[in-house]
Protein backbone atom coordinates (compact mmCIF):
# COMPACT_ATOMS: atom_id res chain seq x y z
CA UNK A 1 0.00 0.00 0.00
CA UNK A 2 1.92 3.00 -1.27
CA UNK A 3 1.42 6.55 -0.05
CA UNK A 4 -0.26 8.88 -2.57
CA UNK A 5 2.04 11.34 -4.27
CA UNK A 6 2.16 14.86 -2.88
CA UNK A 7 2.38 18.22 -4.60
CA UNK A 8 6.14 18.11 -4.04
CA UNK A 9 6.44 14.69 -5.70
CA UNK A 10 4.73 16.19 -8.76
CA UNK A 11 7.01 19.24 -8.76
CA UNK A 12 10.06 17.00 -8.49
CA UNK A 13 8.87 15.02 -11.51
CA UNK A 14 8.35 18.21 -13.53
CA UNK A 15 11.76 19.67 -12.76
CA UNK A 16 14.23 16.93 -11.85
CA UNK A 17 12.96 13.61 -13.24
CA UNK A 18 10.86 14.56 -16.29
CA UNK A 19 9.67 11.02 -17.01
CA UNK A 20 7.47 11.14 -20.12
CA UNK A 21 5.33 8.25 -18.77
CA UNK A 22 4.87 9.73 -15.28
CA UNK A 23 1.27 10.81 -15.83
CA UNK A 24 0.28 7.45 -17.34
CA UNK A 25 1.51 5.65 -14.21
CA UNK A 26 -0.33 7.81 -11.67
CA UNK A 27 -3.15 6.29 -9.63
CA UNK A 28 -6.45 8.12 -9.18
CA UNK A 29 -5.41 9.25 -5.70
CA UNK A 30 -2.08 10.51 -7.10
CA UNK A 31 -3.98 12.52 -9.70
CA UNK A 32 -6.21 13.95 -6.96
CA UNK A 33 -3.16 15.44 -5.25
CA UNK A 34 -2.28 17.30 -8.47
CA UNK A 35 -3.48 20.90 -8.53
CA UNK A 36 -2.74 23.02 -11.62
CA UNK A 37 -3.12 26.09 -9.44
CA UNK A 38 -0.54 24.93 -6.89
CA UNK A 39 1.87 23.65 -9.58
CA UNK A 40 1.73 27.02 -11.35
CA UNK A 41 2.03 28.84 -8.06
CA UNK A 42 5.20 26.99 -7.00
CA UNK A 43 6.85 27.09 -10.43
CA UNK A 44 6.24 30.84 -10.64
CA UNK A 45 8.31 31.31 -7.45
CA UNK A 46 11.42 30.95 -9.62
CA UNK A 47 11.84 34.46 -11.01
CA UNK A 48 13.20 33.28 -14.38
CA UNK A 49 10.04 31.21 -14.92
CA UNK A 50 7.38 33.67 -13.77
CA UNK A 51 6.52 35.07 -17.21
CA UNK A 52 6.55 31.62 -18.82
CA UNK A 53 4.28 30.12 -16.13
CA UNK A 54 1.95 33.09 -16.48
CA UNK A 55 1.63 32.47 -20.23
CA UNK A 56 1.11 28.73 -19.74
CA UNK A 57 -1.62 29.15 -17.15
CA UNK A 58 -3.56 31.39 -19.56
CA UNK A 59 -3.90 28.34 -21.83
CA UNK A 60 -6.09 26.55 -19.25
CA UNK A 61 -4.52 23.17 -20.00
CA UNK A 62 -5.78 19.99 -18.37
CA UNK A 63 -3.51 18.46 -15.73
CA UNK A 64 -1.92 15.91 -18.04
CA UNK A 65 -1.08 18.48 -20.71
CA UNK A 66 0.29 20.87 -18.08
CA UNK A 67 2.67 18.13 -16.91
CA UNK A 68 3.72 17.39 -20.50
CA UNK A 69 4.42 21.05 -21.30
CA UNK A 70 6.38 21.79 -18.14
CA UNK A 71 8.39 18.56 -18.14
CA UNK A 72 9.35 19.07 -21.79
CA UNK A 73 10.15 22.78 -21.66
CA UNK A 74 11.66 23.48 -18.24
CA UNK A 75 15.34 22.64 -17.81
CA UNK A 76 15.94 19.25 -16.19
CA UNK A 77 17.53 20.02 -12.84
CA UNK A 78 16.83 19.90 -9.14
CA UNK A 79 15.07 23.12 -8.20
CA UNK A 80 14.51 24.80 -4.90
CA UNK A 81 11.22 26.62 -5.32
CA UNK A 82 11.05 28.86 -2.30
CA UNK A 83 7.44 29.56 -1.55
CA UNK A 84 6.74 33.16 -0.60
CA UNK A 85 3.84 33.21 1.81
CA UNK A 86 1.53 36.13 2.26
CA UNK A 87 1.40 37.91 5.62
CA UNK A 88 -2.29 37.31 6.27
CA UNK A 89 -3.13 34.55 8.69
CA UNK A 90 -6.83 33.86 8.69
CA UNK A 91 -8.67 31.57 11.04
CA UNK A 92 -10.72 29.13 9.02
CA UNK A 93 -13.80 27.23 10.05
CA UNK A 94 -12.88 23.69 11.18
CA UNK A 95 -15.35 22.15 8.69
CA UNK A 96 -13.76 24.11 5.83
CA UNK A 97 -10.27 22.96 6.85
CA UNK A 98 -11.56 19.37 7.10
CA UNK A 99 -13.21 19.41 3.65
CA UNK A 100 -10.15 20.94 1.94
CA UNK A 101 -8.02 18.31 3.68
CA UNK A 102 -10.33 15.52 2.47
CA UNK A 103 -10.60 16.90 -1.07
CA UNK A 104 -6.84 17.18 -1.67
CA UNK A 105 -6.02 14.23 0.63
CA UNK A 106 -3.59 16.32 2.65
CA UNK A 107 -3.10 17.10 6.33
CA UNK A 108 -5.23 19.75 7.99
CA UNK A 109 -2.10 21.87 8.48
CA UNK A 110 -1.38 21.70 4.72
CA UNK A 111 -5.01 22.51 3.98
CA UNK A 112 -4.63 25.81 5.84
CA UNK A 113 -1.75 26.66 3.47
CA UNK A 114 -3.99 25.80 0.52
CA UNK A 115 -6.74 28.00 1.99
CA UNK A 116 -4.31 30.92 2.12
CA UNK A 117 -3.70 30.45 -1.62
CA UNK A 118 -7.20 29.74 -2.90
CA UNK A 119 -9.73 32.48 -3.51
CA UNK A 120 -12.87 32.56 -1.39
CA UNK A 121 -14.87 31.57 -4.49
CA UNK A 122 -12.62 28.53 -5.09
CA UNK A 123 -12.97 27.43 -1.46
CA UNK A 124 -16.74 27.92 -1.56
CA UNK A 125 -17.00 25.86 -4.77
CA UNK A 126 -14.82 23.08 -3.32
CA UNK A 127 -16.70 22.87 0.00
CA UNK A 128 -20.10 23.03 -1.75
CA UNK A 129 -19.22 19.75 -3.51
CA UNK A 130 -19.87 18.09 -0.15
CA UNK A 131 -23.58 19.04 -0.31
CA UNK A 132 -23.70 22.05 1.99
CA UNK A 133 -26.52 24.56 1.49
CA UNK A 134 -25.87 28.25 0.77
CA UNK A 135 -26.93 29.01 4.34
CA UNK A 136 -24.46 26.47 5.76
CA UNK A 137 -21.66 27.83 3.56
CA UNK A 138 -22.42 31.35 4.84
CA UNK A 139 -22.22 30.10 8.42
CA UNK A 140 -18.76 28.72 7.59
CA UNK A 141 -17.69 32.16 6.40
CA UNK A 142 -17.93 31.31 2.68
Amino acid sequence: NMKAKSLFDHLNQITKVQNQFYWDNLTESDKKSWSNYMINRFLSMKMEWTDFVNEIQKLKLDSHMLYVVYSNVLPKSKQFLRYIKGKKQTNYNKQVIQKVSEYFEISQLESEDYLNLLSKEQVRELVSKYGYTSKELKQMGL
Side-chain angles (χ1 to χ4, degrees):
N1 195 4
M2 287 183 46
K3 187 174 176 280
K5 301 213 181 311
S6 71
L7 172 66
F8 301 102
D9 294 322
H10 298 312
L11 287 164
N12 193 46
Q13 283 289 328
I14 289 169
T15 58
K16 182 181 172 198
V17 180
Q18 297 183 341
N19 176 350
Q20 65 181 1
F21 302 109
Y22 176 68
W23 193 265
D24 303 324
N25 296 322
L26 291 178
T27 65
E28 280 309 307
S29 74
D30 291 338
K31 289 178 183 176
K32 266 188 170 177
S33 67
W34 179 280
S35 164
N36 284 5
Y37 176 79
M38 295 299 289
I39 296 290
N40 287 327
R41 183 93 181 199
F42 268 88
L43 291 176
S44 70
M45 293 297 147
K46 186 165 179 73
M47 291 303 293
E48 298 85 19
W49 296 352
T50 305
D51 292 337
F52 174 66
V53 171
N54 188 39
E55 292 304 312
I56 295 300
Q57 72 185 2
K58 288 178 188 174
L59 300 175
K60 306 253 187 260
L61 300 173
D62 68 31
S63 301
H64 179 227
M65 283 309 302
L66 191 67
Y67 173 77
V68 169
V69 169
Y70 282 145
S71 62
N72 281 296
V73 175
L74 295 176
K76 184 175 181 174
S77 64
K78 179 129 179 78
Q79 296 294 329
F80 177 69
L81 302 168
R82 181 171 173 79
Y83 187 75
I84 303 165
K85 271 191 179 175
K87 297 269 186 266
K88 67 172 186 164
Q89 186 56 43
T90 316
N91 292 331
Y92 296 101
N93 177 293
K94 295 276 183 251
Q95 284 176 291
V96 173
I97 293 169
Q98 177 63 40
K99 293 307 169 196
V100 169
S101 177
E102 280 177 38
Y103 184 81
F104 289 111
E105 296 181 358
I106 55 176
S107 72
Q108 291 195 8
L109 191 62
E110 283 178 300
S111 72
E112 289 189 51
D113 289 338
Y114 276 43
L115 284 164
N116 287 329
L117 300 173
L118 298 168
S119 70
K120 191 171 184 175
E121 293 76 34
Q122 290 170 315
V123 175
R124 183 180 173 86
E125 184 182 328
L126 186 153
V127 175
S128 70
K129 290 179 181 182
Y130 289 90
Y132 291 101
T133 64
S134 292
K135 185 179 178 184
E136 289 170 321
L137 291 170
K138 248 190 182 117
Q139 288 170 340
M140 291 180 208
L142 301 175

